[in-house]
Amino acid sequence: MQRCIPVFLDEETVHQYYNGYCNNILWPLFHYLGLPQEDRLATTRSFQSQFAAYKKANQMFADVVNEHYKEGDVVWCHDYHLMFLPKCLKEYNNKMKVGWFLHTPFPSSEIHRTLPSRSELLKSVLAADLVGFHTYDYARHFVSACTRILGLEGTPDGVEDQGKLTRVAAFPIGIDSDRFIQALELPQVKDHIKDLKDRFAGRKVMLGVDRLDMIKGIPQKILAFEKFLEENPIWRDKVVLVQIAVPTRTDVPEYQKLSCEVHEIVGRINGRFGTLTTVPIHHLDRSLDFHALCALYAVTDVALVTSLRDGMNLVSYEFVACQASKKGVLILSEFAGAAQSLGAGAILVNPWNVTEVAASIGYALTMPADEREKRHRHNFTHVTTHTSQEWAETFVSELNDTIVEAQLRTRQ
Ligand code: ADQ
């Protein structure tokens, strides 16, 4: 059986659709960064062509799905790149079982209503039978957008349009926790762990793992660490921050600017607090392989996840999965979806408040063992029970139930 069927897009469509409408318009808007402000006239002009490319690309996905579709198949569309897809699929075949899931936040309806194509996108998503989000808040924002912008009726189950109900609900994603837990038993990972422990002997390890994206709050995190070192000279040679930042969307100027900014701050802090033999921040501009990543998670004392907004944030889950022996502390942004599930075990922070994050670092580094144990137990139980497999099974079974209920309703 063919498990993966590519949809080939030409270069111009990729430019207008993927770099343009998806990553320059929807991604920042859904993370509360607003619509592009620089060169307003050019943005306004390019908006229509980018949206046309977005619809064209979604139609191309629909064509390929339709070509391979067999009666009874479940079609699950993922993310903000494919908001137009449910409508295209239903136009092909109204009986197709269609679900749509958003991996980013869905913003407040007041943010969504600034989008020029706000109504068309909402209506397209509503063509799906089931619409899913990571958190209840995102689902609520979506329903509010449909009631306020489209004038439709919101019900406890979703959104109703002329008797047709689109079910809207929260399905918080998880990780394959066993994969991480089992990796820690592999000889090569144990070797990595030993190397890292030797390298960082006598120092507490703090860790950040993010794609280099403005939503991840990397500059804010590093500035909070600087403030902590500034206010706590005693810790200067006793703690190290390892920040792994994988470059993404490197051809977008905003991302190039962010990379320069992070390098500049890291250089300044290392110059300020480093010695001839040590630096306080190890900043790596690349991705790590899975085993190296697991080893790093396992030796970490404090993980710092300071996203300015994040749909869920799986790094926080992966860290918890690898901490069975160390029981390290998670400092987590209240603006990450994960705050809803790991909030009771983590130290929640407002990433914009550098003073608060710096104080949380001090609290995390000195937290008594019994409190760390209690917090870890809460989060470990969550991460190992709410897995990616459970997430997928719940969504698909809910989609099937939604269709059966809709059929019963139309028969009544
Ligand atoms: P992302 O924004 O990519 O995902 P996240 O959920 O943290 O964010 O997942 C990142 C993944 O990439 C993790 O599995 C992590 O291990 C890996 N990764 C990140 N940096 C790495 C590095 N330097 N080296 C190796 N691996 C690295 C989007 C949304 C999130 C949502 C997910 C899933 O933005 O909010 O949680 O989808 O729905």
Side-chain angles (χ1 to χ4, degrees):
M1 187 179 82
Q2 221 177 337
R3 295 176 65 91
C4 189
I5 299 155
V7 177
F8 293 103
L9 305 175
D10 61 79
E11 218 170 286
E12 181 57 17
T13 307
V14 170
H15 178 64
Q16 299 258 359
Y17 155 69
Y18 183 72
N19 296 334
Y21 199 76
C22 293
N23 289 335
N24 200 33
I25 308 250
L26 293 181
W27 175 265
L29 188 79
F30 282 8
H31 291 90
Y32 291 78
L33 299 174
L35 289 169
Q37 298 276 332
E38 280 170 34
D39 198 353
R40 290 185 185 81
L41 203 57
T43 304
T44 311
R45 280 204 203 101
S46 57
F47 187 86
Q48 280 311 321
S49 61
Q50 290 184 359
F51 188 51
Y54 183 86
K55 292 200 279 188
K56 176 180 156 193
N58 275 241
Q59 184 63 54
M60 287 165 83
F61 275 87
D63 295 348
V64 174
V65 172
N66 190 50
E67 221 174 277
H68 292 84
Y69 172 80
K70 287 189 222 60
E71 204 183 319
D73 283 352
V74 162
V75 186
W76 189 1
C77 314
H78 285 261
D79 230 358
Y80 60 99
H81 313 81
L82 296 174
M83 294 177 81
F84 209 64
L85 185 55
K87 175 175 176 284
C88 301
L89 292 172
K90 288 287 189 174
E91 277 170 2
Y92 265 129
N93 181 348
N94 197 32
K95 292 218 165 65
M96 225 184 248
K97 296 178 194 173
V98 178
W100 180 79
F101 184 84
L102 183 66
H103 289 260
T104 70
F106 191 88
S108 145
S109 60
E110 286 305 305
I111 295 277
H112 183 77
R113 74 189 307 158
T114 59
L115 185 67
S117 48
R118 59 197 188 183
S119 303
E120 213 174 337
L121 278 186
L122 290 176
K123 283 184 196 152
S124 312
V125 169
L126 285 175
D129 301 290
L130 176 63
V131 171
F133 300 91
H134 282 308
T135 72
Y136 173 73
D137 283 349
Y138 305 157
R140 196 168 46 83
H141 289 321
F142 176 80
V143 173
S144 296
C146 294
T147 56
R148 292 181 186 174
I149 298 167
L150 300 179
L152 298 177
E153 198 184 328
T155 75
D157 286 334
V159 177
E160 208 167 306
D161 184 8
Q162 296 171 5
K164 190 229 175 226
L165 174 76
T166 304
R167 178 135 168 65
V168 180
F171 299 89
I173 202 170
I175 59 165
D176 180 356
S177 51
D178 283 346
R179 184 166 170 250
F180 286 84
I181 294 165
Q182 284 158 13
L184 298 180
E185 298 305 320
L186 298 173
Q188 65 266 44
V189 177
K190 287 188 168 167
D191 286 350
H192 261 309
I193 292 178
K194 187 178 174 312
D195 284 351
L196 290 168
K197 279 186 175 164
D198 289 346
R199 182 176 302 262
F200 297 128
R203 300 170 95 188
K204 295 271 187 189
V205 179
M206 299 189 46
L207 177 67
V209 177
D210 309 271
R211 276 185 309 98
L212 186 70
D213 193 297
M214 21 283 188
I215 68 146
K216 300 292 181 180
I218 299 172
Q220 287 82 353
K221 168 174 9 189
I222 298 173
L223 290 173
F225 184 61
E226 179 182 33
K227 188 156 182 62
F228 171 73
L229 294 179
E230 196 177 88
E231 291 175 348
N232 299 277
I234 198 167
W235 275 101
R236 283 180 197 166
D237 57 352
K238 293 191 183 65
V239 62
V240 60
L241 170 63
V242 180
Q243 175 62 51
I244 316 284
V246 203
T248 42
R249 305 171 191 165
T250 44
D251 43 355
V252 179
E254 289 285 300
Y255 286 74
Q256 294 160 357
K257 232 166 72 187
L258 176 67
S259 174
C260 293
E261 188 191 358
V262 170
H263 281 137
E264 191 271 324
I265 305 174
V266 170
R268 181 171 55 72
I269 298 172
N270 279 344
R272 190 172 167 204
F273 296 113
T275 65
L276 278 179
T277 50
T278 57
V279 286
I281 304 177
H282 288 276
H283 174 77
L284 266 69
D285 263 351
R286 61 187 156 81
S287 140
L288 286 187
D289 72 53
F290 178 64
H291 292 148
L293 187 64
C294 292
L296 200 47
Y297 282 139
V299 301
T300 294
D301 295 282
V302 178
L304 260 177
V305 175
T306 56
S307 312
L308 306 179
R309 291 277 165 187
D310 218 333
M312 178 57 84
N313 189 283
L314 296 181
V315 167
S316 52
Y317 277 55
E318 294 167 3
F319 165 70
V320 169
C322 294
Q323 282 283 317
S325 82
K326 193 145 204 166
K327 301 178 175 56
V329 184
L330 172 65
I331 297 180
L332 178 62
S333 165
E334 62 187 72
F335 301 119
Q340 314 260 329
S341 43
L342 305 183
I347 300 179
L348 291 186
V349 291
N350 172 0
W352 296 99
N353 186 342
V354 166
T355 309
E356 182 196 352
V357 179
S360 301
I361 292 174
Y363 181 41
L365 287 170
T366 53
M367 187 181 282
D370 57 342
E371 186 180 346
R372 281 197 283 117
E373 159 91 41
K374 207 167 95 199
R375 286 174 180 265
H376 170 74
R377 206 180 322 123
H378 174 278
N379 282 351
F380 193 77
T381 304
H382 183 90
V383 166
T384 49
T385 48
H386 297 81
T387 61
S388 45
Q389 189 173 354
E390 189 239 18
W391 167 74
E393 283 168 2
T394 310
F395 187 94
V396 172
S397 108
E398 186 94 11
L399 177 53
N400 280 319
D401 290 352
T402 303
I403 308 265
V404 172
E405 281 162 25
Q407 284 165 348
L408 289 175
R409 253 199 320 274
T410 47
R411 270 188 222 139
Q412 277 166 8

